[in-house]
Amino acid sequence: MSLTADLGPQSRSRALEAMGSEELDVLVVGGGITGVGTALDSVSRGLSTGLIEQRDWASGTSSRSSKLVHGGLRYLEMFDFALVKEALEERGLLLTRLAPHLVRPVPFLYPLHHTWERPYVGAGLVLYDGMAMAGKYEMGVPKHKHLFRKQIERMAPDLRTQDLKGAIRYYDCQVDDARLTMTIARTAASYGAHVASRTKVTGFLREGDAVVGVTARDLENDVDLEIRAKVVINGAGVWSDEIQEMVGGRGQLKVEASKGVHIVVPRDRIRSSAGFITKTEKSVLFVIPWGRHWIIGTTDTPWKHDLAHPAASRADIDYVLGHVNTLLKEPLDHEDVEGVYAGLRPLAKGESEPTSKISREHTVVAPVPGLVMIAGGKLTTYRVMAKDAVDVAAETLAQRGASVRDSITDRVPLIGASGFELRTAQRVSLARSSGLSVSRIDHLLGRYGGLVDEVLSIVADDPSLGEPLAGNDDYLAAEVVYAVTHEGARHLDDVLTRRTRLSIETFDRGTGAARAAAALMAGVLGWDEARVEEEVDHYLRRVEAERQSQEMMTDSEADEARVSAPEGSWAV
């Protein structure tokens, strides 16, 4: 079996055909981090598995996080020790075994404003590092270190130090969340899972009280189908309540949507070799190194509007700017912001608790026979969430005489992990043989790992694709083609927002590269000029609607501005 399975158009068609013609053991609904992780856990136990997503992989919460793989330092203060320990173990596992090509360490400074904070925060970080070292897997990052003002000034010249008593440097990890999600989906497919995006659940198949599958619609081709499965696992995140309504509202899972807003600014706006973390009155604020940029966030507020398109308001951006500016010598303003994104956290609802106080620990329930639902959790602990969901599904399968193995995903590296270390050692020879620069090879290795040869073969077949994408120098034209042929991109928005991150990494939000990217996609997907124009027009209108929403002061005004952009004919 090939471990370089693609998510291209033909693979999607075959997956839909297979799902419509055989009863599966498990069907997973939802293509975010929880859903794809569940599909991988299921198929790696030997279960016949399907996975469907109504939009693109990671199109919701899983492309709009802080992009951190971390233990959650602030949860220590909430005495959520079990969550922190679990997350630190998963951090080490992802960094050292499962996804070393995608996950990398990142240093943070925790500024100390009062003398008493050094022993207090220091004790917390001793516990944080201690939990990581005592876990089941390698720690993978350096231990924390106490710093004094002179050291801080050398490391972070733009940090306001006159009022500081020092800082503590510690390490967590980061990942491109959308790329991680898509890679897990590909890994599941490589082990035999049938996976298809742009496929929306329209109802449940029932035999008495039991759920025995779903009715679904292939949104790309406007075709309805039935998918039968012994167990359906819903990992639809903030849409969980909507899914429960399809079974007559019979659910035990209530999900609260909490909005988190991040801004992106160029790296040269803040001179520092490390990120920052600081407490706010509601949560914490991260300033995170992200290539040639900084990601700054986040907010944590309830969201009661459109779930598909959460909108950042000017008040959200002002909040983030106001808090980060308390740390900086030279304040940032709106002119420095090159990107903004808003995501919704699916939190298991508490009793009248503000969303920043609700635990990120996940919840798994089985409201009716044949249906399992999961919500809550963190990006970092997706694998544990998936294991727990399939464990519950296994109980139903056992009642039907099936014997289900225990989870093995802690020993299943994601595609691209194999060969990453070897190809990294050969980076200079790869550059020489491909005609690309060493820095460009490093960029590709950090996105594709051991699959870098698949991208380089596209360049070898058409050397023009080894040139930067027109309108942007950060990505090669070949990466757009590969996004379609191997990574399941079906629309321009998929490429500019999730396969690349041009929508948040450039001041023009990717509009300068839109036409060139659409033309490259057209060659693979068979689009005519009218379709290219439709895709580009839809993307430009989306960007303009987002810009308008970010000028509005309230959530309701921002939502109204964002949803004003007309959807493409293919959109959910």
Side-chain angles (χ1 to χ4, degrees):
M1 180 183 297
S2 170
L3 290 187
T4 58
D6 66 72
L7 300 179
Q10 289 75 32
S11 297
R12 178 181 180 277
S13 296
R14 288 193 296 269
L16 286 170
E17 182 179 355
M19 285 189 282
S21 60
E22 64 183 70
E23 184 186 39
L24 302 168
D25 291 324
V26 174
L27 173 68
V28 182
V29 177
I33 191 69
T34 304
V36 298
T38 301
L40 177 57
D41 189 281
S42 174
V43 75
S44 63
R45 298 192 197 204
L47 300 172
S48 61
T49 302
L51 169 64
I52 57 175
E53 157 59 38
Q54 66 175 341
R55 296 189 293 167
D56 182 29
W57 309 114
S59 59
T61 307
S62 298
S63 60
R64 305 176 193 183
S65 72
S66 297
K67 313 194 190 312
L68 292 176
V69 175
H70 65 137
L73 186 60
R74 75 184 180 102
Y75 301 127
L76 285 180
E77 209 166 29
M78 299 166 64
F79 303 107
D80 212 339
F81 300 121
L83 175 62
V84 175
K85 181 178 183 296
E86 181 179 82
L88 286 170
E89 288 185 344
E90 293 301 309
R91 183 192 73 179
L93 184 62
L94 281 162
L95 175 63
T96 63
R97 299 190 194 180
L98 302 187
H101 55 311
L102 301 178
V103 178
R104 48 193 57 91
V106 58
F108 286 97
L109 297 180
Y110 194 116
L112 305 172
H113 298 275
H114 307 283
T115 304
W116 60 264
E117 286 184 298
R118 188 178 291 280
Y120 179 71
V121 176
L125 283 166
V126 167
L127 183 58
Y128 197 67
D129 286 348
M131 284 182 171
M133 288 187 287
K136 291 184 289 186
Y137 312 110
E138 297 171 62
M139 180 175 173
V141 300
K143 291 184 286 188
H144 73 280
K145 180 180 179 181
H146 285 259
L147 303 174
F148 298 93
R149 191 180 299 170
K150 290 289 186 185
Q151 294 168 293
I152 300 168
E153 289 171 350
R154 288 195 296 270
M155 290 180 61
D158 284 344
L159 188 64
R160 184 186 295 171
T161 58
Q162 63 267 33
D163 297 325
L164 295 182
K165 304 301 181 183
I168 304 177
R169 184 185 64 194
Y170 76 100
Y171 281 79
D172 261 320
C173 295
Q174 68 179 178
V175 69
D176 183 331
D177 48 4
R179 179 152 293 277
L180 175 65
T181 302
M182 178 276 300
T183 301
I184 297 168
R186 278 191 71 183
T187 306
S190 75
Y191 285 106
H194 308 301
V195 306
S197 62
R198 308 284 176 183
T199 305
K200 183 179 182 179
V201 171
T202 54
F204 284 97
L205 300 175
R206 308 291 290 271
E207 289 181 1
D209 279 345
V211 169
V212 295
V214 303
T215 56
R217 186 165 184 81
D218 171 4
L219 297 173
E220 293 291 285
N221 300 300
D222 292 329
V223 174
D224 292 316
L225 68 154
E226 290 188 353
I227 305 174
R228 293 192 166 268
K230 297 182 179 74
V231 182
V232 176
I233 300 178
N234 171 48
V238 293
W239 281 272
S240 293
D241 288 354
E242 183 178 306
I243 294 291
Q244 285 185 140
E245 287 301 315
M246 292 183 186
V247 288
R250 293 180 59 186
Q252 309 157 27
L253 198 60
K254 298 299 179 185
V255 174
E256 178 95 354
S258 169
K259 183 176 69 166
V261 171
H262 296 79
I263 64 173
V264 182
V265 302
R267 189 68 177 263
D268 62 9
R269 298 301 195 272
I270 306 172
R271 291 177 300 159
S272 177
S273 60
F276 315 131
I277 178 176
T278 187
K279 290 178 65 175
T280 69
E281 66 275 13
K282 294 180 181 178
S283 183
V284 294
L285 185 85
F286 286 101
V287 182
I288 307 162
W290 180 255
R292 298 191 299 109
H293 317 270
W294 295 98
I295 293 175
I296 307 172
T298 179
T299 62
D300 200 341
T301 55
W303 177 258
K304 305 294 185 184
H305 305 284
D306 181 45
L307 296 178
H309 306 294
S313 67
R314 189 176 183 90
D316 292 323
I317 299 170
D318 286 342
Y319 173 89
V320 175
L321 287 173
H323 280 86
V324 72
N325 284 340
T326 64
L327 298 172
L328 303 176
K329 290 178 180 176
E330 295 293 330
L332 301 172
D333 61 26
H334 286 266
E335 297 300 313
D336 295 307
V337 177
E338 55 186 341
V340 180
Y341 62 95
L344 299 178
R345 307 175 188 91
L347 306 181
K349 191 180 294 184
E351 292 293 328
S352 302
E353 293 180 277
T355 57
S356 59
K357 297 294 185 184
I358 297 175
S359 174
R360 266 60 176 175
E361 288 189 88
H362 56 277
T363 302
V364 183
V365 298
V368 295
L371 177 64
V372 175
M373 307 191 72
I374 182 167
K378 299 166 73 241
L379 177 77
T380 306
T381 55
Y382 80 87
R383 195 192 63 82
V384 179
M385 297 163 63
K387 171 186 175 297
D388 290 349
V390 179
D391 282 347
V392 173
E395 296 173 8
T396 297
L397 294 171
Q399 293 169 5
R400 300 183 61 168
S403 176
V404 181
R405 300 177 180 181
D406 290 338
S407 177
I408 61 167
T409 50
D410 60 339
R411 303 186 297 281
V412 180
L414 305 184
I415 58 169
S418 176
F420 169 60
E421 190 172 357
L422 173 62
R423 292 319 245 165
T424 299
Q426 298 172 333
R427 54 198 282 275
V428 175
S429 61
L430 282 175
R432 191 180 301 118
S433 62
S434 66
L436 301 175
S437 67
V438 174
S439 63
R440 189 69 75 176
I441 294 295
D442 288 340
H443 160 85
L444 295 176
L445 285 166
R447 284 169 52 76
Y448 306 100
L451 302 179
V452 65
D453 296 286
E454 295 183 347
V455 181
L456 294 179
S457 69
I458 293 175
V459 175
D461 291 342
D462 183 353
S464 69
L465 298 178
E467 297 298 319
L469 176 64
N472 183 271
D473 290 336
D474 286 349
Y475 299 93
L476 297 181
E479 294 182 78
V480 175
V481 173
Y482 188 80
V484 178
T485 58
H486 287 72
E487 297 180 342
R490 304 284 303 178
H491 299 282
L492 181 60
D493 187 75
D494 302 344
V495 169
L496 297 182
T497 306
R498 287 172 291 277
R499 303 308 183 278
T500 71
R501 308 316 289 264
L502 288 175
S503 64
I504 60 171
E505 292 177 344
T506 60
F507 280 104
D508 71 3
R509 311 285 172 95
T511 57
R515 190 163 298 279
L520 289 166
M521 297 180 71
V524 182
L525 293 170
W527 293 346
D528 58 18
E529 185 58 33
R531 178 58 183 275
V532 170
E533 289 299 321
E534 182 184 11
E535 292 276 346
V536 172
D537 181 68
H538 170 254
Y539 185 77
L540 298 182
R541 288 172 180 264
R542 192 208 98 172
V543 169
E544 182 56 30
E546 288 181 347
R547 288 190 186 277
Q548 292 296 324
S549 72
Q550 291 155 19
E551 293 298 321
M552 304 299 171
M553 289 306 298
T554 67
D555 277 357
S556 57
E557 292 170 326
D559 174 67
E560 184 177 348
R562 175 61 186 90
V563 300
S564 67
E567 293 283 16
S569 59
W570 60 86
V572 177

